[in-house]
Amino acid sequence: MRDLVLKLIELKKTIATMESCTGGGVCNAITNIEGASEILKYSAVTYSNEYKIKMGVSSEVINKYSVYSEETACEMSKCISRFANSDFGVGITGKLNRVDENNPFGEDNVVFISVYEKATNKFYNTKVIASLDDREKNKKLVIDSCVRLIMSIIE
């Protein structure tokens, strides 16, 4: 994460996150690095569909593809970038070792990460299989995958 924060500072680029299953883990990891205030514009933890929608995620996308989908992650990344007027937006949604009775659709133990780049209006996506037995380890796996994805975009 240190390399990511320093690279964003060097590039004078900003980032915002809308996270669900990681519970703000990406944002937390960013803020653990000195200088994070120069690049982090805003972060939202949107555990419920209601608050994803309040932050701008299309209810039609959630209903059509499920809240646990690449399409919803893309909506999250673009909406948070627009909301915060940041260069990059990160959207993360998925299931970590549990069935969600309120959202029965979508693959179990799969997390979708989307990074939206405002300058190019482009999405970069990846999917993480979160099959470790420990929730905290799965969150770290997702956060590390997110960092690698962003680094591949900005390098």
Side-chain angles (χ1 to χ4, degrees), residues 133-144:
D133 290 335
D134 181 87
R135 186 174 180 85
E136 193 171 338
K137 288 178 183 173
N138 277 321
K139 286 170 75 171
K140 182 177 178 351
L141 179 70
V142 172
I143 293 164
D144 291 346

Side-chain angles (χ1 to χ4, degrees), residues 46-64:
T46 55
Y47 242 50
S48 69
N49 294 2
E50 175 187 3
Y51 281 89
K52 287 176 182 68
I53 294 166
K54 283 186 179 192
M55 290 298 299
V57 174
S58 166
S59 60
E60 288 81 18
V61 168
I62 291 173
N63 291 336
K64 182 175 182 178

Side-chain angles (χ1 to χ4, degrees), residues 5-19:
V5 171
L6 294 176
K7 186 68 172 176
L8 287 171
I9 290 170
E10 174 189 324
L11 296 172
K12 297 183 181 349
K13 299 289 184 182
T14 58
I15 193 166
T17 66
M18 188 185 305
E19 302 176 65

Side-chain angles (χ1 to χ4, degrees), residues 14 29 32 44 69 86 125 142 144 146 152:
T14 58
N32 285 336
S69 65
S86 64
N125 303 317
V142 172
D144 291 346
C146 182
S152 73

